[in-house]
Each structure stands twice: as structure tokens, then as C-alpha cells.
Amino acid sequence: MSKSLPYSMKDVHYDNAKFRHRSCFKMITQTVLTSNLKRDCISCSTGKFLVLLMIGGLAYLMLTNTSSGHSDSNGLAKGVIFKEGGIKEGDKSIMDGGNRFRRFWRKPPRLPPRLSPDETGSNNSFIHDPVKLNEDSKWIARQQNVKKAFIHAWSGYKKYAMGFDELMPLSHRGVDGLGGLGATIVDALDTAMIMGADEVVTEAGSWIETHLSHRIKEKGQVNLFETTIRVLGGLLSAYHLSGGEQGMNSTHMGPKSIVYLETAKQLADLLLSAFTSSPTPIPFSDVVLRDHSAHPAPGGQSSTSEVSTLQLEFNYLSTVSGDPKYGMEAMKVLEHLKTLPKVEGLVPIYISPHSGEFIGENIRLGSRGDSYYEYLIKVWLQQGAERDGNFKYLYDMYEEATKGIRHLLVQKSIPKGLVFVGELPSGSKGAFSPKMDHLVCFLPGTLALGATKGITKEKAMKDNLLTFEDLENLKLAEDLAKTCFEMYSVTSTGLAPEIAYFHTEDYFEQGLDGGNKSSEYMNDIIIKYADRHNLLRPETVESLFVLYRITENPKYREWGWQIFEAFEKHTKVDSGGYSSLDDVTRLPPQRRDKMETFFLGETLKYLYLLFADSTVLPLDKFVFNTEAHPFPIKGMSKSE
Ligand code: DMJ
């Protein structure tokens, strides 16, 4: 295990033999033995003698001139000498000489092993492959740029908004848009752990330990879904990543892991009132923390995606707390949804907690619909070996839904044939709308994950694991990922709008292009004035990350890098933080005074992981909640 992360989270920088320290002696002897001198002289005995003489001379110089090491090792050596050998102070110089000799002959020290041997094994071949070596250094450097961006985002938040939910990076203030639980802090914490941003881990962890429990007791209304995915999810993944399940006292900066778990339980106990106050298995949308009460949203309806995007978090809390009540309440929602009528597996975006029935016919995979589909497959994956027992219905619902998506929602744009997912605002009998929210860009990643269950496509093919449906979904995933990427590159800023429309036989509007005249998709993608903002959303880079892991195609990394560069260029605020934008089609773009928590929780985390070694948080062992907080798949955590 690395210093800061549990077994599964080893830092990716370790296995570079190229960065290992080599002793001067080793370097010189290697140079001598591999140089022309070797070829020219080693065959003659004078040559051999000269080489030996040189080695001997060098060894002598090192023994007599090397300082006796780091002050640390001096102190330690002294202690050990007295303890083990009972040798007196007067004998120290003899021992020092011996120690030098031992140090001299022992292997050069390695950098701290931050990947376990099984994780590094497969990568060692590149040591001999200069092209791969270069390529790897490129991605390591790019990954470090993402880490720098994360620290810049955090520094702005810390300077101007510490303790608030979000940073307003232009007016240098904080704002509590999510109920006042310090959402940026909790959302960002596991990203900091994954990146090894220790200072951020300390600052975020200490704030949580000192303030969060009190806030949970005192604060008023929070949204069940937002609080679950960001705050509960963040606490639980911090608990795992800091070694909580190994029963360790955290070696991290910040508090002990148990603090995260206890705070998560305190919060979840209050959130449970949204389930228990409702007359049906569909929870109310809002909870008033200080009153221990819950109520429906104004208008009385809940979003379908919100009620079905709580289960990974509550299930995992049940696993680690040993109390089944959390998972049981949350799973009742999905069990209930299973019984409701659907349109080829597709569901309306509103549901009533009073009747338990869907409301209206509006079907879409964007806002209020999106993560219903995501959690069907992820909650099933979370069960590990138990997937095909009581949870099989989730896979069936997912499979039916993906067929429905392909049949009813997927079309191609003209003239260039971008594959996109549209909407059915009046159900399957009504008109098709060629509108696609950026939020839909989670779908390529989810489809790819559902197809291979987290292993690479190559391995899945080799082991004959892919069904016809899997292959169709994988193909759709790749096509959609391209469309999502083009939604970025078609604009002047290289950043995607919140919503795009696609040119079809039935729909076109002149003069609403993205502004990048060199994009070949200029006429395919239409961006209305009201939809031109960018909120630093993660969905596209999330899908690029998953697709890269599964297909191993480097183009996904390159696309991710282009997007990152556009964020750097247009959204970075010098005084700290990153801002949203009002209009991605204009140069320079007008900035919007908000840094969303998911920029730190998701966008930068997925970019970092996109450039990381695939052994970091492998997708067949971890499932990411919809806010990018990773939980181990059942049976994959060492404590189980
Ligand atoms: C996040 O809070 C989650 O990813 C959610 O599922 C959708 N919206 C935002 C990011 O865009």
C-alpha cells in the first residue's frame, strides 16, 4: 500500500525504472563496461588490469570521501549499533566503515514502491521500448498538469470560500447553493487523495472533522439526491481510500478514516427520513436536516433520475457500517420501479412520491432522466459475485432500456452523420426532438462499462464474453463519444455548450453554429442562444476515461487533453479557481461567477484518471457513483 492510498490506489509514477536513483559507482562501472573502452581493452590483459584498477580506485574514493549518509540514517544507525551489537561509542568508526561498505555494495535505493508488484509487472516491458517510454512520460506530465489545475481550483476555493458550498471565483466569495454542508470540500477530498495532493487532503479532512457534523445538525433544507451523491458519496469514498475498510488508522493527512464513516452515518440517518416519510417507496426530494423531516418538491413530483440515483451510496454504507437499513430503503425504489410500465425500457422523467407512478410522458437521457440508466447497470455491477441472484432484474432493466435507446432515441445528423441521442418530450407516439443535453454524454461511458463489465474490450473478445447486445452498445458508445467530443471542438472556445441540437431531415436552423469554422461538423451541430453556457461539466471526459480504459485507444486521451487545454485557456481565473462560461461560441467568452463542486469532484478527477495507468481504480473492481466517487465492488475490498 502506498503512503496515502489503499492497495487499489497505488500511485502511477512508481514503476518508472528510469527515475530510480542509481549510485555513481554503478553508473561509472556500467559506462566503462559498455563503452568502447570495453571493446578495445577488455580483450587484452593490460586492459583488464586497468579496468580493475579504475574500479578499485573509485571504490576507495567513495569509501573514504562519502559522507556518512543522511542525518536520519546516522541517528538510526547509531541506535541500532548499540541495541543489536552492544558496541560502544569508541567502536563507531569501525562500524561506520562497515556500514559504508554495506551501503556501497547494496542495491541502489528505489523510490518508495507505490504500485504493488502485481500491478507493475505487466508494464515493465516499456523500459526497453523508447517509444513507449516517451509516450508514457508525455501522459505523466499531462497528468501532473491536471493535478496543478486541481490545486489551483482548490486554492481559489480555500482563499475566498472555505466552508461554503461553492466558490464564486470572480467576485471572490462563497455561496451555499447546496444547503451549506461545505459541498466543494467533500466533493474534492477523494480527488485529492487519488492525486496525492496531501495538503488538500489535510485541509479538507480537518474541515470535515471540525465542522461537518455540526453543520449536519444545524442546517436546514437539502436535496436528497445532491446531498447523497456529493456529500454522502464523497465521505464514503474518502473512507475507503483512506484505508477505512482495512481497519487502519489512516496514514493520510487529515482525520482517521472512521471520522468519514461516522459523519456519513450521521448524515444518512437524517436523509433516510425522505424515504420513511413518503407513503410509497419513492422518496421525497428534500430533507430538513435540523428538523429530521422531509417533504416533496414544490409541485409534488420527484425526478426519476434523482430517486434512482441513491442506491450505490446507501448500499455501500450498509456494507461498511454493517447496518442493512440504508441499502434496504434505497433498493425499495428500484424494486418498485421494476414493476412500473415503461416504453421499451425507457421511463418518463417525473415520478410521484404520493402515487408511486410516473408523471407525464417526457422521455430523455438528459436532465432528470440520465442517471436512472447509469445506476441500473452500476448497482448491478456493485454486487460483484452476487449480481445474478436477487439483482438480476437490474441487468434486465438495463438491457431492455439500451435496446429502447437504440431503437427510439438514436439518430444520425446531416450532412456528416454524427450519432446522437434525442428526446421524446411527448412519449413514443409524439415527435422526436433532436436535442441532446451535455448531460447525455455520460452514456458512452456507461454503455462501454455495461458491455465489458469493466475489463478491456480485447480481453472480453478473447474470452468470448461479448453478446450481440454488448457489441451494439459498445459501437454506440464509441459513436456517441465522438459526438460528445465534437460538441466541444465545434465551438470557438473548444468547450461544449450545455445543450446541442442536431441537424436532421426534420430540423435545421441557420446561423446557430458553434463558431469554429474549421470544424467539419459546423452544419451538423446547432447551438441555440439560451444553451451556450458551460458549467465545467464532467460527462464527456468521464466517458473518455471509461472508453480509454476499455478500448485502450489513445485517441480518447488526446481528446481529453484538448478539452483540458480549452478549460485551462478559457476558464482559469488568475486569482484562483475556474469559472463557468456564458457563451462558448464567443471569443473571448464571457465568464460566469461560479465554480461547480463537480469540477473538482468529477471533471478533474476523470481527466487525471484518463492520463493515469489503468491499474489505478480498475473498472472491474471499482464502481464510480454519478459524482465520480469510487466504491469497491463487493468482494473486491480486502476486508471482505
Ligand atoms: C453531477 O452532479 C452528476 O454527475 C450528476 O449525475 C449530473 N450532474 C452533475 C454534473 O454535470
Side-chain angles (χ1 to χ4, degrees):
M1 195 177 115
S2 77
K3 160 174 80 68
S4 54
L5 295 170
Y7 68 97
S8 49
M9 283 304 315
K10 310 295 164 14
D11 194 291
V12 293
H13 309 132
Y14 154 65
D15 63 345
N16 302 306
K18 62 179 188 280
F19 295 139
R20 251 179 235 151
H21 173 76
R22 295 157 77 212
S23 71
C24 289
F25 173 72
K26 194 159 183 179
M27 285 196 307
I28 293 167
T29 47
Q30 273 180 5
T31 312
V32 167
L33 292 172
T34 53
S35 69
N36 290 342
L37 191 66
K38 177 186 159 194
R39 258 180 276 126
D40 298 345
C41 300
I42 210 97
S43 54
C44 72
S45 53
T46 321
K48 274 182 194 158
F49 176 72
L50 277 173
V51 169
L52 281 174
L53 203 65
M54 264 179 78
I55 293 171
L58 277 167
Y60 174 79
L61 277 173
M62 291 185 75
L63 280 174
T64 51
N65 292 326
T66 315
S67 79
S68 51
H70 306 293
S71 57
D72 252 353
S73 81
N74 262 347
L76 184 65
K78 199 169 173 185
V80 171
I81 290 161
F82 274 93
K83 243 196 199 157
E84 291 183 351
I87 297 165
K88 294 188 202 83
E89 189 67 44
D91 300 325
K92 188 173 160 279
S93 60
I94 307 170
M95 288 308 297
D96 279 356
N99 280 343
R100 275 184 203 159
F101 217 80
R102 251 175 268 133
R103 268 205 302 277
F104 177 68
W105 287 115
R106 107 186 142 203
K107 280 190 175 171
R110 287 171 159 232
L111 289 177
R114 303 187 83 179
L115 280 175
S116 65
D118 51 326
E119 285 169 328
T120 54
S122 60
N123 294 327
N124 288 341
S125 55
F126 80 81
I127 291 167
H128 307 293
D129 177 349
V131 178
K132 176 129 181 35
L133 194 74
N134 262 340
E135 192 59 16
D136 276 25
S137 326
K138 178 174 99 182
W139 292 112
I140 288 169
R142 289 179 171 186
Q143 195 188 35
Q144 289 313 304
N145 284 326
V146 178
K147 180 174 173 181
K148 271 191 212 143
F150 174 79
I151 288 170
H152 183 79
W154 174 262
S155 76
Y157 171 78
K158 188 177 93 173
K159 222 182 317 169
Y160 303 118
M162 191 72 187
F164 285 93
D165 282 332
E166 290 146 319
L167 166 69
M168 297 174 73
L170 306 180
S171 55
H172 296 170
R173 285 180 294 151
V175 58
D176 277 340
L178 293 156
L181 299 181
T184 291
I185 299 173
V186 195
D187 225 1
L189 175 59
D190 65 353
T191 307
M193 289 177 174
I194 290 164
M195 292 179 173
D198 291 345
E199 229 175 89
V200 181
V201 177
T202 308
E203 290 159 357
S206 310
W207 187 91
I208 288 169
E209 183 171 35
T210 317
H211 300 286
L212 188 52
S213 175
H214 181 69
R215 292 266 178 112
I216 291 169
K217 275 189 213 126
E218 298 294 307
K219 285 291 173 182
Q221 181 173 313
V222 295
N223 174 277
L224 169 66
F225 160 77
E226 297 292 359
T227 311
T228 298
I229 64 169
R230 301 187 202 215
V231 183
L232 186 61
L235 287 168
L236 289 172
S237 104
Y239 172 70
H240 177 77
L241 296 179
S242 59
E245 281 182 85
Q246 280 82 52
M248 292 169 33
N249 276 350
S250 172
T251 51
H252 267 289
M253 329 298 127
K256 292 180 178 163
S257 309
I258 193 71
V259 169
Y260 301 130
L261 179 58
E262 289 304 328
T263 315
K265 276 201 292 191
Q266 183 198 354
L267 178 60
D269 284 339
L270 294 173
L271 296 180
L272 275 180
S273 67
F275 298 89
T276 52
S277 313
S278 168
T280 69
I282 301 303
F284 288 151
S285 68
D286 299 306
V287 170
V288 183
L289 294 171
R290 63 173 164 259
D291 295 348
H292 300 206
S293 69
H295 58 80
Q301 49 201 19
S302 297
S303 297
T304 303
S305 65
E306 292 196 2
V307 301
S308 56
T309 308
L310 310 160
Q311 291 69 21
L312 286 177
E313 298 80 357
F314 279 77
N315 283 343
Y316 183 57
L317 178 56
S318 276
T319 303
V320 290
S321 68
D323 188 338
K325 71 179 175 192
Y326 307 104
M328 267 169 54
E329 282 301 334
M331 288 306 290
K332 280 184 200 163
V333 181
L334 297 181
E335 283 151 20
H336 175 76
L337 292 177
K338 174 180 68 172
T339 66
L340 298 183
K342 305 176 185 68
V343 180
E344 300 189 27
L346 308 179
V347 292
I349 58 172
Y350 290 109
I351 190 162
S352 165
H354 302 291
S355 67
E357 303 291 329
F358 288 122
I359 301 171
E361 294 188 273
N362 194 343
I363 289 172
R364 65 174 181 233
L365 271 88
S367 62
R368 301 183 188 278
D370 47 7
S371 45
Y372 163 77
Y373 304 93
E374 179 185 353
Y375 268 38
L376 290 179
I377 191 70
K378 286 187 172 177
V379 175
W380 178 79
L381 286 168
Q382 183 185 37
Q383 306 311 317
E386 291 158 38
R387 275 168 202 169
D388 290 328
N390 292 338
F391 298 92
K392 175 73 168 44
Y393 74 95
L394 294 169
Y395 188 81
D396 296 339
M397 286 165 77
Y398 171 77
E399 196 170 59
E400 194 194 356
T402 58
K403 279 187 205 165
I405 292 168
R406 296 200 313 263
H407 181 214
L408 297 173
L409 300 182
V410 171
Q411 287 200 10
K412 271 189 184 175
S413 66
I414 51 179
K416 290 286 183 180
L418 283 175
V419 173
F420 69 94
V421 174
E423 302 183 357
L424 294 170
S426 310
S428 59
K429 305 256 158 30
F432 175 86
S433 165
K435 163 178 177 273
M436 182 163 142
D437 293 352
H438 182 274
L439 289 168
V440 181
C441 291
F442 81 95
L443 188 62
T446 295
L447 288 172
L449 183 69
T452 71
K453 285 79 188 165
I455 61 174
T456 62
K457 180 180 174 186
E458 191 187 11
K459 180 162 170 38
M461 300 277 272
K462 206 169 86 206
D463 296 349
N464 224 356
L465 296 175
L466 300 182
T467 63
F468 171 77
E469 291 299 319
D470 293 331
L471 289 167
E472 290 289 297
N473 285 340
L474 207 45
K475 170 84 179 73
L476 178 58
E478 296 222 46
D479 290 343
L480 284 174
K482 173 164 175 62
T483 302
C484 288
F485 171 67
E486 297 303 341
M487 281 166 63
Y488 284 71
S489 56
V490 80
T491 70
S492 316
T493 54
L495 291 169
E498 178 71 358
I499 298 170
Y501 285 76
F502 290 82
H503 180 177
T504 63
E505 296 284 334
D506 300 321
Y507 173 77
F508 185 61
E509 283 191 63
Q510 280 288 356
L512 296 178
D513 60 73
N516 175 9
K517 306 290 177 207
S518 60
S519 163
E520 59 173 309
Y521 299 103
M522 266 262 297
N523 294 318
D524 291 62
I525 298 179
I526 295 151
I527 308 174
K528 299 192 181 189
Y529 290 109
D531 306 332
R532 298 186 164 190
H533 48 292
N534 179 295
L535 304 182
L536 309 166
R537 285 199 191 276
E539 290 76 18
T540 296
V541 294
E542 164 186 351
S543 283
L544 297 180
F545 156 64
V546 178
L547 272 161
Y548 175 70
R549 286 283 176 97
I550 283 171
T551 65
E552 300 175 299
N553 186 335
K555 80 176 173 198
Y556 295 116
R557 276 183 156 181
E558 295 294 349
W559 290 355
W561 178 247
Q562 273 187 51
I563 292 172
F564 175 72
E565 284 194 304
F567 277 129
E568 283 293 282
K569 187 161 176 200
H570 298 294
T571 70
K572 189 170 187 170
V573 178
D574 288 343
S575 53
Y578 289 75
S579 72
S580 303
L581 300 179
D582 275 341
D583 185 347
V584 292
T585 69
R586 289 277 163 95
L587 282 177
Q590 176 83 26
R591 287 166 181 263
R592 191 177 274 197
D593 196 9
K594 180 79 140 348
M595 181 174 77
E596 298 280 349
T597 78
F598 48 69
F599 186 60
L600 291 90
E602 296 193 70
T603 311
L604 293 175
K605 182 189 289 151
Y606 281 130
L607 281 164
Y608 183 87
L609 290 172
L610 172 62
F611 305 148
D613 189 280
S614 295
T615 54
V616 180
L617 294 170
L619 291 176
D620 58 341
K621 297 194 171 56
F622 284 87
V623 64
F624 287 78
N625 88 338
T626 196
E627 190 74 8
H629 298 304
F631 307 139
I633 287 175
K634 267 199 182 160
M636 297 298 178
S637 164
K638 286 229 162 127
S639 62
E640 288 175 71

